[in-house]
Amino acid sequence: MSIEDRLQQLNIELPSASDPAAKYANYVYLNGLLFVSGKGPSGNPRGKLGLDYMTEQGYEFARLAGIEVLAVLKSALGSLDKVKRAVKIQGFVNATADFEEHHKVLNGYSDLLLEVFGEKGIHARSVLGAVSVRDNLPIIVDSIFEVEMDIDADGVKV
């Protein structure tokens, strides 16, 4: 089953890849790895875990941020079937000092990768609590994937 078929089965519709929020690239490809810049959840929710949102809401925000990452992957690769495996994800949870469930929040993104990619979605990860993040988003995730990318002799995507 293709990843596109899997997304349809999961009722996941990918948005267009969002533009970077400043002067940086959405992704960088190097030696078979695609480094995806930090993405937040669609809809631009604002606030902190432990104050404005509970863990369950954070889980959904992490899942939505993961869908944003999938949109960037599709934009970069043309097809999510070119993802060989998820390598590493890192989550920055905008949380109060006493919030202790960062790992449960990031599970929203980890679970999404496993649902979409199966065994290829198993990854290493880190999650950190942050005093503040860009635009007061509840979570930002960045990711590294091993991929098949079509590039020319000069290293330019074709």
Side-chain angles (χ1 to χ4, degrees):
M1 172 185 302
S2 75
I3 299 299
E4 298 297 325
D5 291 340
R6 184 75 182 131
L7 289 174
Q8 190 172 27
Q9 185 181 53
L10 294 167
N11 293 317
I12 296 172
E13 187 173 330
L14 295 182
S16 297
S18 59
D19 293 325
K23 293 182 180 180
Y24 58 87
N26 249 349
Y27 63 87
V28 170
Y29 174 79
L30 180 66
N31 298 328
L33 297 175
L34 196 69
F35 297 79
V36 179
S37 294
K39 292 292 174 185
S42 60
N44 294 315
R46 305 281 192 252
K48 288 187 176 292
L49 275 291
L51 177 65
D52 304 301
Y53 301 111
M54 304 305 294
T55 302
E56 296 76 18
Q57 293 165 299
Y59 177 98
E60 290 303 321
F61 292 142
R63 184 177 178 86
L64 289 172
I67 289 171
E68 292 288 324
V69 171
L70 294 178
V72 171
L73 286 171
K74 183 169 181 174
S75 171
L77 302 170
S79 169
L80 293 176
D81 290 314
K82 292 184 177 182
V83 172
K84 291 183 177 181
R85 72 164 300 149
V87 175
K88 171 82 185 245
I89 66 171
Q90 187 165 330
F92 300 90
V93 178
N94 186 9
T96 60
D98 60 344
F99 185 77
E100 295 182 352
E101 296 188 322
H102 306 80
H103 61 292
K104 292 180 181 178
V105 169
L106 194 56
N107 283 347
Y109 182 24
S110 293
D111 290 348
L112 174 71
L113 291 178
L114 292 171
E115 290 171 17
V116 171
F117 295 112
E119 291 286 317
K120 295 190 291 184
I122 296 172
H123 53 274
R125 78 177 204 181
S126 302
V127 62
L128 304 165
V131 171
S132 68
V133 299
R134 163 179 70 80
D135 297 328
N136 199 30
L137 293 169
I139 186 169
I140 293 178
V141 297
D142 63 28
S143 314
I144 304 169
F145 294 87
E146 182 183 15
V147 300
E148 298 171 28
M149 183 172 271
D150 300 321
I151 57 172
D152 66 16
D154 295 321
V156 177
K157 179 183 160 191
V158 294

